[in-house]
Amino acid sequence: MAGEIPSSFNKLLSTIGKSEEFLVKRRLRSLVAISGSDSEKLGHLAARAISYHERVRHRYDKRKYTGLYVYHDEFPEAESMKEVFEGHAKNFKYTKFELDVYEKSEKYLGKTYSYLVLDLTRDLKPNDIGKLTGIVEGGGLVVLLTPSWEDWDNHLTIFKQNLTVPQFPEPRHVFITWFKSKLLEHEGVAVYDSDKNRVLKKFALDKEKYSEAASRDIVIPEETLFPRELYELALTNDQVRVVELMEWFYEKPKGKKVLVVTADRGRGKSCAVAIGSVGLIHLLAKVKPKPRVLVTAPSPGGVQSFFTMAATALDTLGYKYDVVKKGGDVIELRSSRFSIEYWEPLSVPKIKADLVVVDEASGIHVPMLYKIWEAHKRTVYATTIHGYEGAGRGFSVRFLRRVKSDKSTEVLEYEMTEPIRYGRDDPVEVWSFKTLLLDAEPAELDEIDLRDIDEKNLVYISYDPSYLFSKSGEEELRQLFGIYVLAHYRNEPDDLGMLADAPHHSIRAVKTRSGKIVCAIQIAEEGPIPESMVDELLKGGRIPGNIIPDRFLKHTRLREFGESKGWRVVRIATHPSVQGRGIGSWGLKKLIEEASIRGLDWVASGFGVNEELLKFWVKNGFKAVHISPDRNPVSGEYTILVVYPLNERTKEFVEVSEREFKAKLLLSLPINYRDMEPEVAKLLVDSTPPILEKLDKSCLTPIQLDRLWVYCLGPMTFEAAADLMFKLANLYFSLPAGSRPQLTRLEEFVLLTKALQGRSWEDLEEMLKKPAKDLHKAAHDIACKMFEFLTGVRPEDYKPGIRLGDYGGGRLLFL
């Protein structure tokens, strides 16, 4: 192989080799990007890089190493490159390599490798970079194999192809240009062009700025509640501290106890919490039967490192248990003495447990986090602050603010800083954070900015992605993405790639006069739908992107809507320190004005509905037209679509769809939406237009009317009159406010939650904070008001009972 290797490449490797002792001692990693159009040559060079590195490294770190090679097996060139590399890898002296495809890369998270080779010749998916580069240990090497350096910018990758939609078949080519610039910009990174056999960027490291590696000596507290063997599983003092903090849960809480563990990726937070969870089980098992720990995360794959470490901790203590798997993922460790179970977030509030662990809490919507907190006495929230899983600052800002304000909840917080696999300030981690904007933060606002906000001296701006992803625009890009990080959105590196290259996506922002970004808006252009596709969609077919036209056609059935075009607001977020000051509404108003000038037909959005968000959109004139029949299993929210029509024709579409939506919602409340939050349901029925002009007095048959009177004043229970109350509730919420009987706020909520949703009296007591007797009285009062509204007679003046000849039927509206 040596004869095939250009001398310029060997010289580059020797430069890295000269720093290897320093890199090993300080547990720092290095990265080499090798570009070229000859796939077999790339395979040779990658193998040469590893074989050279492992021999030099072994002088200072005498052990066996592991490596991972990841590629796309659907391309012949990628296969041949892999085969070339694999042929050489068999002869590596100290390193054993695994080879696998990107589709299976999730299973390697939580593992540690000495070497990583990523084949980027066919694809560059930002998430893959974010998650896989983190598995390499200090002293190790990351090798990136890329297409020809000069042609790579415009390379049509799999990721880019997946960003296109029928109306925009060509992606932008921005992200790879950005990616290349960051490779050339950061230390600890070398770049080699194999087509021209030249070094594009030499390997260099400013050794003076790297302090001596922090001591790895683990200090275990002298006195512990958990067995000492568990503490000995910790790899850093940060992990020791988290395990120690979890002893706090042993004493039964009077109210609620919440432990929040935050860290950048690779700090071992999940493993530390797993050790502590087993310690708690060990203690609780002595005082109660079968302790139960629930673990939740956005997906089962996200908790595999937790279960792996929990199993190790159980083995250490000599416990016997069964392992339950689903789809290859561990979802339960159980025995007759304890259980540790994974459940999706939506289920966790409904299940009793001694401890709930929420892993990657930033990936779960804040309203769902509230429900988990409210339902359990002991909870641990572990989340990544900066990582491919999604940034967690929004979780910290929004969730903790409310939890800390609750007097019955004790809160402990701990941030882990020491990396497990590599040293502090590792150059490859710095490069990945800067490239993927994992450490993005919003701008610091001063008094002048705050005055501009109060006086609405603001600037609405449209951004060109090429500018944002350039040296000139990078600071504004970091401010924009930093706002999303701190908002209620989970931000992945793929989102950054979408901003750069999705041809139908664009960015708007609201700035103060000094240039600080205080609101970020991401929009996607959707429609019109080709006539040839409309029939397919009406039959249940699919179309990439175009969420608003797709759902509108499928659920409203108005085929002409397919001819329209508009903007879907993908994300809108305000700087966290100035939320609630009307900035989002100001920006939305400017967006609507721009869309109207451009001749678009609508502006719309889809989001997980909660009262706060729904109020924002309704206040700004958006109309609800569809809601999903099921809750999202991660966020626990129903997804709702809202539309703002920009012309008379679209207004007609929306008016029809609003009425249909309202009728469907009212009839579906006891079936699909029985557990919908009353405030959300009430806001939906109040903000949608009436579907009846007035109430037909003969909507009840004489017998039904007589039964209503019995419930109103007699001994009949609500349950015996439930059919009447359901029907009357439907009619009540279908009418204009001025054409209804006058009910109090409490009576309206009882009518909604009991008569329409069919909730239990116990549920109503908890939700409405009223005793059962007050709720029963409210239901009777509703019946009396409805009776008098229909008959014009007070119930006490009515003569009950009817004769056969009086029975004339009655129109059974809505039934």
Side-chain angles (χ1 to χ4, degrees):
M1 183 170 68
E4 304 166 3
I5 305 301
S7 60
S8 56
F9 189 71
N10 281 326
K11 287 180 181 177
L12 174 64
L13 295 179
S14 68
T15 306
I16 300 173
K18 290 174 184 175
S19 298
E20 190 57 30
E21 182 179 7
F22 180 86
L23 292 167
V24 168
K25 286 185 176 179
R26 286 160 180 76
R27 300 170 49 245
L28 303 176
R29 303 172 299 165
S30 47
L31 185 152
V32 177
I34 309 170
S35 71
S37 54
D38 184 334
S39 58
E40 290 194 6
K41 185 175 182 180
L42 287 178
H44 285 303
L45 294 180
R48 172 61 178 164
I50 301 298
S51 65
Y52 178 89
H53 194 277
E54 65 159 7
R55 289 200 305 273
V56 176
R57 179 179 179 182
H58 199 261
R59 298 173 192 166
Y60 317 106
D61 182 15
K62 297 187 181 300
R63 59 187 175 91
K64 295 293 185 181
Y65 309 127
T66 56
L68 178 65
Y69 182 106
V70 191
Y71 67 108
H72 287 281
D73 62 352
E74 62 267 43
F75 301 103
E77 297 90 345
E79 272 287 349
S80 64
M81 185 161 66
K82 183 264 296 185
E83 289 169 5
V84 168
F85 179 88
E86 191 174 19
H88 291 304
K90 293 173 183 176
N91 300 316
F92 290 163
K93 192 171 183 180
Y94 305 110
T95 309
K96 183 178 180 180
F97 253 83
E98 296 176 53
L99 298 94
D100 216 332
V101 294
Y102 281 100
E103 290 82 359
K104 297 181 180 178
S105 62
E106 199 79 21
K107 70 182 181 182
Y108 297 102
L109 302 183
K111 297 182 180 181
T112 300
Y113 289 87
S114 312
Y115 296 100
L116 174 69
V117 179
L118 296 181
D119 174 3
L120 304 181
T121 57
R122 286 290 180 169
D123 196 20
L124 195 168
K125 193 172 190 293
N127 273 11
D128 290 336
I129 300 296
K131 64 186 177 183
L132 289 171
T133 54
I135 68 176
V136 179
E137 67 189 1
L141 176 69
V142 177
V143 178
L144 306 181
L145 303 177
T146 83
S148 163
W149 189 258
E150 293 178 358
D151 299 335
W152 190 18
D153 302 67
N154 297 320
H155 207 64
L156 190 58
T157 62
I158 300 170
F159 180 75
K160 288 182 187 178
Q161 288 175 312
N162 290 336
L163 296 177
T164 62
V165 295
Q167 301 93 329
F168 297 89
E170 290 296 322
R172 291 192 291 257
H173 301 287
V174 173
F175 185 78
I176 290 175
T177 303
W178 163 268
F179 191 85
K180 285 170 59 178
S181 71
K182 292 301 169 189
L183 287 171
L184 295 172
E185 196 176 291
H186 282 274
E187 66 174 0
V189 176
V191 181
Y192 185 78
D193 181 349
S194 71
D195 285 338
K196 297 183 178 179
N197 292 337
R198 62 173 183 166
V199 176
L200 298 179
K201 179 177 183 291
K202 295 179 181 179
F203 179 85
L205 210 58
D206 181 2
K207 295 181 181 180
E208 290 187 6
K209 80 176 188 180
Y210 292 95
S211 59
E212 288 291 334
S215 170
R216 299 289 288 190
D217 294 336
I218 307 300
V219 180
I220 298 173
E222 290 186 11
E223 295 184 11
T224 65
L225 290 177
F226 295 162
R228 191 172 184 84
E229 305 97 287
L230 292 183
Y231 280 94
E232 290 171 351
L233 295 173
L235 297 177
T236 65
N237 285 304
D238 269 344
Q239 286 193 319
V240 168
R241 181 60 179 146
V242 171
V243 175
E244 185 181 17
L245 287 172
M246 288 195 67
E247 292 185 350
W248 175 59
F249 285 118
Y250 178 55
E251 184 179 341
K252 191 173 183 179
K254 295 176 182 178
K256 297 180 186 298
K257 288 185 174 182
V258 171
L259 171 62
V260 178
V261 181
T262 55
D264 285 351
R265 187 173 174 238
R267 270 60 179 173
K269 65 187 181 314
S270 299
C271 291
V273 172
I275 296 169
S277 298
V278 170
L280 186 62
I281 285 173
H282 182 70
L283 294 183
L284 290 178
K286 298 176 181 179
V287 296
K288 65 169 295 184
K290 199 171 182 180
R292 187 181 195 187
V293 173
L294 302 185
V295 188
T296 191
S299 70
V303 294
Q304 293 312 292
S305 59
F306 176 95
F307 274 109
T308 299
M309 181 52 75
T312 300
L314 290 167
D315 294 341
T316 300
L317 297 181
Y319 281 91
K320 303 296 182 186
Y321 55 90
D322 295 321
V323 179
V324 181
K325 290 187 176 183
K326 184 178 181 182
D329 290 322
V330 177
I331 60 167
E332 188 174 356
L333 305 175
R334 68 184 180 196
S335 76
S336 59
R337 300 172 63 189
F338 69 88
S339 69
I340 304 175
E341 311 160 34
Y342 170 81
W343 289 88
E344 62 184 19
L346 184 59
S347 301
V348 172
K350 307 168 189 173
I351 305 171
K352 291 186 177 180
D354 297 289
L355 175 71
V356 172
V357 175
V358 184
D359 208 353
E360 289 313 330
S362 63
I364 299 172
H365 282 213
V366 171
M368 176 53 63
L369 296 176
Y370 289 149
K371 290 181 181 179
I372 293 171
W373 161 59
E374 289 166 352
H376 297 281
K377 288 187 174 294
R378 299 181 181 99
T379 47
V380 181
Y381 296 89
T383 197
T384 303
I385 298 175
H386 303 125
Y388 79 92
E389 301 94 332
R393 294 287 189 199
F395 155 81
S396 303
V397 171
R398 299 182 69 235
F399 175 70
L400 282 181
R401 184 186 300 150
R402 178 168 163 188
V403 172
K404 286 180 177 178
S405 68
D406 181 67
K407 294 180 180 178
S408 65
T409 300
E410 296 179 76
V411 180
L412 289 181
E413 296 177 74
Y414 188 75
E415 182 172 346
M416 303 172 71
T417 59
E418 189 176 353
I420 295 284
R421 297 185 182 92
Y422 41 81
R424 297 179 192 273
D425 303 318
D426 172 77
V428 175
E429 183 178 76
V430 172
W431 164 79
S432 68
F433 275 28
K434 297 298 182 186
T435 302
L436 303 175
L437 264 62
L438 299 177
D439 58 351
E441 299 279 352
E444 290 284 337
L445 304 181
D446 56 28
E447 290 301 318
I448 297 173
D449 297 313
L450 296 178
R451 188 163 59 248
D452 281 347
I453 290 165
D454 287 339
E455 297 173 0
K456 293 296 180 288
N457 291 323
L458 301 170
V459 180
Y460 174 78
I461 186 167
S462 171
Y463 278 111
D464 178 347
S466 296
Y467 166 76
L468 283 174
F469 288 84
S470 70
K471 202 71 180 167
S472 302
E474 180 175 349
E475 175 54 33
E476 287 165 274
L477 177 63
R478 298 184 71 81
Q479 288 184 36
L480 277 163
F481 214 65
I483 287 174
Y484 287 140
V485 165
L486 277 172
H488 51 281
Y489 296 108
R490 183 185 182 203
N491 292 278
E492 299 178 329
D494 280 358
D495 295 319
L496 189 65
M498 180 180 289
L499 281 181
D501 291 341
H504 57 306
H505 281 242
S506 52
I507 288 288
R508 303 293 185 268
V510 178
K511 302 169 75 171
T512 61
R513 285 183 300 176
S514 62
K516 309 280 185 64
I517 296 174
V518 290
C519 182
I521 308 172
Q522 181 180 350
I523 55 176
E525 186 169 318
E526 299 186 341
I529 305 297
E531 180 64 26
S532 59
M533 298 189 73
V534 170
D535 284 326
E536 282 302 309
L537 292 178
L538 289 169
K539 294 173 185 175
R542 294 177 177 272
I543 183 173
N546 293 283
I547 291 172
I548 300 301
D550 176 83
R551 302 301 190 277
F552 207 101
L553 284 168
K554 284 175 178 169
H555 297 282
T556 305
R557 317 301 295 173
L558 294 170
R559 62 181 305 125
E560 296 103 320
F561 190 84
E563 301 167 4
S564 68
K565 181 167 70 172
W567 280 342
R568 172 171 60 90
V569 178
V570 180
R571 303 195 287 186
I572 177 169
T574 298
H575 194 297
S577 65
V578 286
Q579 289 175 351
R581 299 197 189 189
I583 300 170
S585 295
W586 190 91
L588 206 51
K589 180 183 176 184
K590 294 295 181 183
L591 182 76
I592 290 168
E593 289 174 2
E594 183 191 356
S596 186
I597 291 169
R598 287 174 177 260
L600 298 179
D601 300 298
W602 45 264
V603 175
S605 187
F607 53 92
V609 67
N610 59 60
E611 185 184 16
E612 180 185 5
L613 273 180
L614 185 57
K615 278 183 175 177
F616 169 78
W617 291 100
V618 168
K619 177 184 72 174
N620 283 289
F622 284 72
K623 312 295 184 180
V625 295
H626 172 65
I627 191 167
S628 62
D630 302 301
R631 288 185 183 271
N632 181 295
V634 174
S635 71
E637 297 170 330
Y638 296 101
T639 300
I640 193 167
L641 301 185
V642 294
V643 180
Y644 188 103
L646 297 175
N647 52 47
E648 289 303 316
R649 183 162 172 76
T650 311
K651 192 178 292 184
E652 290 178 22
F653 289 136
V654 171
E655 286 173 353
V656 170
S657 114
E658 271 194 292
R659 288 195 294 271
E660 290 286 333
F661 168 73
K662 183 166 192 166
K664 180 180 177 182
L665 177 67
L666 289 172
L667 289 169
S668 301
L669 277 169
I671 305 167
N672 296 335
Y673 310 112
R674 190 178 183 191
D675 62 346
M676 179 182 281
E677 294 76 6
E679 297 81 9
V680 171
K682 181 76 163 50
L683 188 51
L684 284 174
V685 296
D686 284 349
S687 63
T688 42
I691 47 183
L692 291 176
E693 290 184 11
K694 61 181 181 178
L695 190 58
D696 189 327
K697 304 287 181 160
S698 63
C699 61
L700 297 184
T701 68
I703 290 176
Q704 289 176 328
L705 202 58
D706 215 58
R707 287 175 54 223
L708 181 64
W709 177 86
V710 178
Y711 173 57
C712 176
L713 293 182
M716 184 185 286
T717 64
F718 178 92
E719 286 66 28
D723 60 317
L724 303 176
M725 297 300 285
F726 173 76
K727 183 177 179 180
L728 291 171
N730 251 298
L731 293 169
Y732 176 87
F733 288 113
S734 300
L735 291 167
S739 302
R740 302 171 178 174
Q742 296 304 302
L743 302 185
T744 65
R745 176 177 166 79
L746 175 63
E747 289 167 351
E748 283 194 328
F749 271 101
V750 169
L751 194 62
L752 181 74
T753 55
K754 185 63 183 171
L756 277 184
Q757 290 185 297
R759 300 235 194 179
S760 68
W761 292 111
E762 291 76 18
D763 280 350
L764 264 67
E765 283 185 282
E766 185 176 339
M767 288 185 300
L768 303 179
K769 310 300 181 190
K770 295 286 184 181
K773 62 181 180 63
D774 289 354
L775 300 173
H776 282 286
K777 182 179 183 305
H780 279 281
D781 290 345
I782 294 167
C784 290
K785 290 180 180 180
M786 295 298 283
F787 183 89
E788 187 170 346
F789 186 77
L790 289 170
T791 64
V793 177
R794 294 189 306 166
E796 53 268 32
D797 297 333
Y798 175 76
K799 184 177 181 180
I802 65 167
R803 298 181 182 279
L804 186 60
D806 297 331
Y807 184 77
R811 296 201 299 131
L812 303 180
L813 298 180
F814 294 95
L815 295 176

